[in-house]
Amino acid sequence: WLGAAGTTQDLVWFNAINELWNAFAGLLCHQSMVLAINSSFVDPVLQYESQLNVTEASFRMLLALPNFGKLRALGIGNEDLEDQESLYQNILHIFEDTLLILVSKDLYKLQILREMVLWVKEERLYLQEETLTIISRVLCFASKKVQGDTSVDAPCLGVLAAELSLLCCHAENDIMNQASMGLHHLLCIAKWQNDLEKNSPINYNALGSYCHLTTVPQVEIQPQTLQRDKLKIAQSVGNTLLPSLLTDFVWTLLMKLSEASFEIASEAASILKLTLQYHSQKVIMVSKIVNFIYKKLREDPSHSMKHSMLRVTTSLTRTSPKKVIFQLMDYPVPADDTLILMWQAAGSEGSVAPLVLKTILLILKGKPGETEEDMEEKRRFSLDATNMMPVAASQALCTFLPVGSYKKAVAQFFPHLLLALMLQLFYSSQLRVMPQDRPLYARDALRALLNSSGLQEVDAALKKKNCWNQFSQALYHQLGVHLIAKTLSEFNFPQFPETLHYFYKISVEGPRRSEDNIVTIIFFTELLNNFFKDPFPEEFMVLYKNWINDSNPVVSKLSLQKIANMAPVINEIENVCSLLTSILEAFHSKEHTVVIRALLTLRKLLCKLDRVIYSSLCAKIASSYCRLMDHNNGGIRSMAIRHFGELLKDMSQFTWMLNPLALGALVPLILFLEDKEIRVSKACQYALRGCASQLRWPTPVYLKDENYNFELVVLNICNHLAASHESHISGLISDTLGFLGSSRLYLRRGSVILGWSFLASERELLQTKCPFTVAVIEKTVRDEDPVVRELAKKTRDIFREIAHTMTSSTIKQTFRRWFKFIYTRKLKPLYNWPKDYTHTPADPTKGSKEGFVEEGEEEEEEEILIKSYRCEAILEQAEEDESDFPSL
């Protein structure tokens, strides 16, 4: 056709025609492929991906078509161009029809339009107008199609709206017009979708058919108002898009801030600012946006759009303060400059200061370094293995508290922040994962709290006392809390009423951790000491009563210490009996120091307690002392025994009440005379002298150190019991037998002697309990200790001989009771117990003057004792003869 005379112009024209026909044929082929895929049963995801690839190939063909403006410049005639332009328009119509086919079946395919906007920016820009025209027409078709739909599945509307919004501000009018038309149709679709969500139009009527919206909702704003009017664009998009779509819109504009073109970034920043100004409450995925901003600014601290990004943080803080603050606290500590900059941006929104502080207080409830396994509530604030958010929150308060717009909120939450920061100081001092040279942010935040609350003098006074510098020492913390409370009280801080109320509320409700009570009780006690006189009002005393049996031993001891200081006014306390009962319950604590503190506190209170009230609790207190006499801690044993003796001395005038108590404590008091700890033995001697005085017995001379002999003490007491309190011997025997199984050697040894002595002092018991006692002693004969075995063997043999010689007739029992009126038999030493066996135990296999008596002497002593019983038996047998009975 060109022949030999062909020119360059003809060659260009020929190539242009060739490209047009190739594109025409290719688009028809692609359209057939799209239709085929549309009618198949391929997985929807694969179907979309395949159609997207085919559509992109078709679009690339359009981008490769010749520029008719350039062809005219080459001088090609209008007649030739008209035909080719007509072919070009047909090609565009084929492409548009393909898109309409896709969208008519599934609105989800509108995502292809979003891809087209990106494709056209990458290639030749002269096709932007044609491309936007196609997009506008497809969106117009889709806005009409949704009329009969019961749902709208078009997740791309947010991203596509962002792209069209930027093009609505384009310098070229044609592009701007098409973009505004497309955005208008898009908003119509979104309006329908929005109304479906809000009004729930899909219902079933009585016949089971669908009920739909009757008309397509129309967007009030016309396309012309969207042209280069960023405020109208932001308001229209914000009012129409669903929250998820609006979030996509915001996210896309945020990405545009990093565009190479400053013009596009600036336009995106303006629209983004206006959108968030009016509709930031609809934005979701706030944490993701904040995290993106942090990473971008950290990568490039001098980002051209840095202020715009920080403004986004401020806008999101205004409507979603909790989400923003949580995200800003979930970065490594100490905070870097970027994070502090974002804190400042969040803090610049003063309208949400109370919500920001509430969120920070919620974070401060956590314990730094606490893992999920350690937490009582399985609730994680941070994704890290250990929770360091409280440390970050403390550092953030150093930024937030001095802000002027936060002054009112700081005053509102002063007590909450004060307690939270003192607890964080306590936790930080125990935190091992923090380097020693790391600043104490909780301390710095506490100082910022004082200064921003008008308490600069308090801060200065604490600095003068060197309080702040010593808080890094773990052992100083309790004293530091005490100093803070004391200094605040000295300056009569105006926040006292609300602070007292808050600490009282926390004390009543109970803390999240038992260790938190340590800080609470120290601070609370110091406040009360400075503003109230002892005793405290009843509502406060209830707290101290509850703290006595707190799970944390430090809290228990602090409470007991404060109660002990109230001893001078103990009789002015309401419900003092309940308070004393709580102290007695502390005797059951597993912590020895708590029991000792409870004993000291109780003794201090009893010295001042009204005797009438004292007498009503006397039995309960005495029984509590008795339970502690066998405690495994020697200090507690000695203290309980000595305090029991003090109780007998205090209440000596109440003889009728104390006699049973004194008799009930005899067994442990006697047995613990042999305790290895001198203080316990001395306490037993003191208490036994009190018992002797109370029971009107002469004080045994054998209790004195120079004359002390365990067996003689036992015999002395048993003789007195047989003479004056015979009815109690049975119970004392039961108590004694209980010590035969003790793990302490001296208790097993002593209980053998004491048990025999009790039985021997009462003949009726000796007769009735002899078989049972022999059975119990049999077990002791096999004891691991040789001394115990020897004592048990001796006792068992005596019981067997007595059991053999004694009978049980009624006449003999009657005679025995009559015989006691005229004869009282005193027990004699049987074992010759060594004076100090615990240090120089005698070998039971060898005779020794320091241990047991010689073998001959032992046999003689046993023979005398057994003969005495035989004589009584013979005498009783003679009395059975009635002819001889009157002659007795």
Side-chain angles (χ1 to χ4, degrees), residues 165 183 187 221 226 229-241 246 249 253 270-279:
S165 297
L183 183 59
L187 292 177
I221 298 178
L226 299 174
D229 191 337
K230 301 181 184 66
L231 177 60
K232 292 293 184 182
I233 293 172
Q235 289 180 336
S236 300
V237 171
N239 288 329
T240 309
L241 294 183
L246 183 62
F249 178 83
L253 292 178
S270 299
I271 298 175
L272 184 59
K273 174 189 174 183
L274 293 169
T275 303
L276 292 177
Q277 182 177 346
Y278 294 102
H279 303 286

Side-chain angles (χ1 to χ4, degrees), residues 93-308:
H93 289 154
I94 292 173
F95 182 75
E96 180 181 332
D97 290 342
T98 303
L99 293 175
L100 292 174
I101 291 170
L102 291 172
V103 172
S104 64
K105 187 173 182 181
D106 188 359
L107 286 177
Y108 183 85
K109 306 291 176 61
L110 285 173
Q111 290 191 88
I112 297 175
L113 304 183
R114 179 195 66 183
E115 301 297 335
M116 285 176 58
V117 175
L118 300 178
W119 296 335
V120 77
K121 287 184 178 180
E122 296 173 2
E123 301 294 341
R124 298 158 65 179
L125 299 178
Y126 77 93
L127 284 174
Q128 281 190 2
E129 182 182 350
E130 287 83 354
T131 303
L132 286 173
T133 302
I134 294 174
I135 291 174
S136 178
R137 289 174 181 171
V138 173
L139 288 172
C140 179
F141 168 79
S143 66
K144 295 177 181 178
K145 178 187 178 298
V146 296
Q147 292 185 58
D149 293 345
T150 58
S151 63
V152 178
D153 183 17
C156 68
L157 295 183
V159 178
L160 186 57
E163 298 289 352
L164 294 176
S165 297
L166 292 174
L167 293 172
C168 285
C169 301
H170 202 278
E172 294 291 333
N173 289 333
D174 293 336
I175 294 176
M176 177 195 66
N177 291 333
Q178 292 301 326
S180 60
M181 284 295 299
L183 183 59
H184 172 76
H185 296 309
L186 183 148
L187 292 177
C188 288
I189 299 171
K191 178 68 174 174
W192 176 270
Q193 184 184 37
N194 201 0
D195 287 348
L196 286 177
E197 291 284 340
K198 289 182 178 179
N199 301 322
S200 301
I202 307 172
N203 298 303
Y204 292 96
N205 58 21
L207 300 176
S209 59
Y210 288 110
C211 299
H212 306 291
L213 291 176
T214 55
T215 58
V216 180
Q218 297 295 325
V219 180
E220 297 178 359
I221 298 178
Q222 297 303 313
Q224 295 78 10
T225 60
L226 299 174
Q227 297 174 0
R228 298 195 181 97
D229 191 337
K230 301 181 184 66
L231 177 60
K232 292 293 184 182
I233 293 172
Q235 289 180 336
S236 300
V237 171
N239 288 329
T240 309
L241 294 183
L242 293 173
S244 59
L245 300 179
L246 183 62
T247 301
D248 293 338
F249 178 83
V250 170
W251 181 260
T252 305
L253 292 178
L254 188 61
M255 299 295 107
K256 298 294 182 182
L257 297 183
S258 299
E259 285 276 347
S261 171
F262 180 79
E263 183 180 356
I264 294 177
S266 179
E267 294 290 348
S270 299
I271 298 175
L272 184 59
K273 174 189 174 183
L274 293 169
T275 303
L276 292 177
Q277 182 177 346
Y278 294 102
H279 303 286
S280 58
Q281 72 277 3
K282 291 178 66 176
V283 177
I284 56 179
M285 296 173 61
V286 173
S287 299
K288 180 181 177 182
I289 295 173
V290 173
N291 188 46
F292 172 81
I293 294 173
Y294 172 73
K295 290 181 177 179
K296 279 293 180 182
L297 294 181
R298 191 178 181 187
E299 292 171 1
D300 184 10
S302 58
H303 197 286
S304 59
M305 291 288 113
K306 178 172 70 174
H307 295 295
S308 298

Side-chain angles (χ1 to χ4, degrees), residues 67 129 171 226 248 342 387 456 484 592 608 622 742 747 865:
N67 187 338
E129 182 182 350
L226 299 174
D248 293 338
M342 294 185 71
N387 179 24
Q456 294 85 352
I484 292 174
H592 294 170
K608 302 292 183 180
S742 173
L747 290 178
L865 184 66

Side-chain angles (χ1 to χ4, degrees), residues 697 717-726 729 761 824-826:
W697 298 342
I717 292 174
C718 288
N719 287 328
H720 287 299
L721 282 171
S724 58
H725 297 86
E726 183 181 356
I729 294 179
S761 64
T824 301
R825 179 180 177 278
K826 291 190 176 180

Side-chain angles (χ1 to χ4, degrees), residues 757-816:
S757 301
F758 279 144
L759 275 171
S761 64
E762 218 295 308
R763 300 304 175 86
E764 289 186 12
L765 286 175
L766 186 61
Q767 183 179 6
T768 56
K769 290 187 175 289
C770 193
F772 170 75
T773 308
V774 170
V776 174
I777 293 295
E778 277 292 346
K779 297 180 181 179
T780 314
V781 171
R782 298 186 293 273
D783 195 275
E784 60 184 12
D785 180 64
V787 177
V788 175
R789 289 200 302 269
E790 185 65 23
L791 291 171
K793 183 175 179 299
K794 183 186 292 289
T795 306
R796 181 196 62 185
D797 294 342
I798 294 173
F799 275 129
R800 282 179 176 176
E801 184 66 25
I802 292 172
H804 179 71
T805 59
M806 293 188 67
T807 59
S808 58
S809 68
T810 305
I811 296 178
K812 284 186 288 184
Q813 293 177 12
T814 304
F815 174 77
R816 186 179 296 111

Side-chain angles (χ1 to χ4, degrees), residues 494-511:
Q495 297 89 348
F496 168 73
E498 55 265 34
T499 302
L500 182 65
H501 179 267
Y502 177 70
F503 272 77
Y504 175 74
K505 178 185 175 184
I506 289 295
S507 302
V508 172
E509 294 175 352

